[in-house]
Amino acid sequence: MTLSTGQSGAPAGAAVLVVGFDDQAASLAALRTAADLARRLHADLHVVHGVDLRDYPVDPDSDAEVWEGHARAALEHLHVKVAEALADHPGAWTYHAWSGNPVRLLASVADEQQALMIVVGTHRHRSLARMMRGSVSRGVTRSAHRPVLLVADAESPARLGKGHRSFG
């Protein structure tokens, strides 16, 4: 699913930023940061969501129609959240939601669009579930052919190790 939305504030051939979105606090922070950068750079914004089992919040024993209906509702919910977050964004933006590995999807859209950079959220803590799924931010930084900007969610407490200083 690719949905074009937003205003065409950027000239044809404008710069492009790609941002990953999965409805977590860190990805919302990344979306806001990418939107701010896109505005400053007069760039188009491509929001990418990798569809996975978390988008199917139903009993797997349900029939296919119920399963797909819940998936459509979950994806529409994400699209609405992106649209709300970008309501005041003056430039053009596009929302992409495809099945597949989010790391590969982000890198693919960035390469296709010749993006200036990829913006992704990162968590300052690692839960067991996150460790089992793997880190999208880590995967993108290892495999993308573009610069990657990591944005931490503002609500995670900073963990500063010995020898690190906080500048506030």
Side-chain angles (χ1 to χ4, degrees):
M1 165 192 329
T2 299
L3 301 170
S4 294
T5 316
Q7 303 172 11
S8 59
V16 171
L17 300 178
V18 171
V19 59
F21 187 76
D22 69 356
D23 200 24
Q24 299 296 312
S27 73
L28 186 56
L31 179 61
R32 289 181 177 142
T33 299
D36 181 53
L37 284 171
R39 181 185 54 78
R40 293 170 188 244
L41 297 170
H42 304 287
D44 289 343
L45 190 58
H46 287 259
V47 182
V48 178
H49 173 71
V51 178
D52 64 14
L53 287 178
R54 290 172 289 172
D55 295 313
Y56 293 87
V58 295
D59 177 7
D61 293 330
S62 299
D63 69 21
E65 289 176 22
V66 171
W67 184 264
E68 289 302 319
H70 281 283
R72 278 190 300 278
L75 291 175
E76 182 58 32
H77 170 76
L78 286 177
H79 182 251
V80 167
K81 287 195 90 165
V82 169
E84 288 171 355
L86 296 176
D88 295 330
H89 182 65
W93 60 273
T94 304
Y95 176 76
H96 306 268
W98 292 309
S99 294
N101 179 304
V103 171
R104 286 192 212 118
L105 292 172
L106 284 162
S108 175
V109 171
D111 287 344
E112 287 172 12
Q113 298 297 322
Q114 299 181 359
L116 290 176
M117 75 175 70
I118 301 170
V119 182
V120 291
T122 185
H123 302 274
R124 295 180 184 172
H125 60 282
R126 303 274 298 169
S127 67
L128 179 58
R130 193 166 303 285
M131 287 190 298
M132 297 303 287
R133 276 197 316 267
S135 166
V136 171
S137 59
R138 184 173 292 168
V140 170
T141 58
R142 289 182 179 168
S143 65
H145 300 104
R146 310 270 174 214
V148 177
L149 175 62
L150 301 179
V151 179
D153 64 39
E155 297 177 17
S156 291
R159 292 185 182 173
L160 298 176
K162 186 176 179 179
H164 290 86
R165 296 182 59 195
S166 174
F167 299 96

